[in-house]
Amino acid sequence: MTLGALPSQILKDFTISTQQLENLIELFLYDMREGLAQRHSSLAMLPSYLSKPSGQENGIFLALDFGGTNVRALKINLQGNGKYQVLERQDAPLVSADDSYNYIASTATAEQLFDFLAAKLAALATENNQYVLGHAFSFPCRMANIEHAELLYWTKELATSGVVGKNIVELLNEAFVRQGIRNIKAAAILNDSISALLAAAYKDTRTDIGSICGTGHNTCYLEPSYTQTDYAKPMYMNMESGNFDKVPQNRYDEILDKNSDRPGAGRLEKMCSGRYIGELFRLACYDLIDTGVLPQSTISLTSAAITGKDMASLLADSSHNLQVINTWLPQLGWTQSRQEERMYLQKLATLIVHRSARLVAATYAATLRHIDPDFSRQHVIAIDGSLYEKMPDYAGKITETLYELLGKDADKIHCKLSKDGSGVGAAVAAATTLS
Ligand code: BGC
């Protein structure tokens, strides 16, 4: 599909050239180094106090995966050599479909949220057994050690009160006490990007980068020589790369940022992740209406919430007349569309998604240059998240961009889906605390 037919300004707004990506690599590397040296940087470079798993970890562990709108509690049997079995799981939305509760809005308290999480875990913890828990918590935390993670700020528009600045492990332990749960020990807390990495490293020792391309975006990696703490081993570092701020924003990025909960923060995430790309699409549609590409009065964009899933269906429609898009459009109040108009929508969505994948690939290229400047060995990048897994073209675009930026060296880079990595990686982290 050619994208050329879109108004040239929109095309320009969402196109990012090879040269721009190369500049971003340099700027990202600069921020990595500044962050590592604990100087001012948009990359927090947060130590995890976790190092490589041996691959031999085994036993039954609980895992909690709290990442946004859903929570997952799992009982996992680690069997060594990268093998595992999920024995039981409890999945629950944090916002109920019937509006009876919402644990992620500012009206909810830390006690309510953590009581809910504790109850999900208790349902898996049979009475006479003791359990060790790994907790994947998908938000920026400053760690003092593997059981002490202080939430720096919420992202992805979450806002539960009384959690920022608190130690998440303590909040969960307090909920265990309130509910009389005595047989679960929260042994490790880690970022979801690190659990994606650990889950993959449990099977494949070449894995040294982990990333999430889903509702949120973030990347972590194994830092060979972290010198800021006494922790001597190589250490997994959570870069909080969604906060990288040297990306060139277009006018839609600026509007989105201005209207978000934390203007100025999470710049890269707001250009790349599933939580925001639908909103960028919605904002750009206004201009397609203003420039007469889409009809004026038929579309109601003001209250439409366009999700990452909607964007995936826009891209996936390969039907002759774009009929799938046609059946989706009534949710924008648009009942009569022409094929050509649907094609413009698909082109716009594609442009936004491709920009996201290209930006993400540039940050991977930078991270690789940091850990192995000569590309002397093989690397696996473990990636979890709905965008990477389900968005048409996304994974392919990342690989293509890595070749564009690294040439033949990209032969040594293997991007792999780390499906459900959060739960498994959290269990592996819990297991490493016993060795
Ligand atoms: C958070 C990260 C997290 C990412 C993916 C971001 O909003 O700041 O900590 O890893 O989302 O879930």
Side-chain angles (χ1 to χ4, degrees), residues 46 65-68 137-141 151 153-157 190-194 211-220 238-243 262 266 269 273 275-276 384 422:
L46 301 164
D65 171 15
F66 171 51
F137 185 73
S138 315
F139 300 92
C141 286
L151 176 63
Y153 48 83
W154 282 122
T155 56
K156 297 174 273 199
E157 314 295 308
L190 65 166
N191 186 261
D192 55 342
S193 60
I194 295 182
S211 187
I212 306 291
C213 297
T215 310
H217 171 63
N218 189 13
T219 299
C220 68
N238 168 14
M239 293 197 276
E240 282 300 321
S241 62
N243 197 50
R262 300 183 64 244
E269 178 164 275
S273 83
R275 175 66 181 75
Y276 299 102
D384 197 6
S422 284

Side-chain angles (χ1 to χ4, degrees), residues 282-354:
R282 192 181 74 91
L283 293 171
C285 276
Y286 277 113
D287 274 358
L288 290 183
I289 294 173
D290 283 352
T291 47
V293 174
L294 298 181
Q296 190 85 42
S297 56
T298 38
I299 312 173
S300 152
L301 283 171
T302 38
S303 58
I306 297 166
T307 62
K309 209 166 159 195
D310 293 330
M311 296 289 279
S313 8
L314 280 165
L315 261 74
D317 189 354
S318 55
S319 66
H320 171 56
N321 292 332
L322 298 176
Q323 276 313 316
V324 183
I325 297 182
N326 201 28
T327 52
W328 173 77
L329 283 175
Q331 68 169 274
L332 302 184
W334 192 2
T335 45
Q336 303 265 311
S337 63
R338 291 187 297 127
Q339 183 180 342
E340 193 195 28
E341 292 158 353
R342 297 197 287 278
M343 196 183 72
Y344 283 124
L345 293 180
Q346 191 175 52
K347 284 179 176 177
L348 176 61
T350 306
L351 208 54
I352 293 172
V353 167
H354 284 183

Side-chain angles (χ1 to χ4, degrees), residues 240-260:
E240 282 300 321
S241 62
N243 197 50
F244 180 55
D245 67 356
K246 299 184 173 51
V247 258
Q249 284 179 302
N250 66 29
R251 56 216 159 113
Y252 311 107
D253 299 316
E254 279 167 9
I255 301 172
L256 181 148
D257 181 43
K258 218 168 104 211
N259 296 335
S260 67

Side-chain angles (χ1 to χ4, degrees), residues 117 153 195 203 268 301 350 376:
L117 303 182
Y153 48 83
S195 30
K203 290 189 208 117
L268 178 66
L301 283 171
T350 306
S376 58

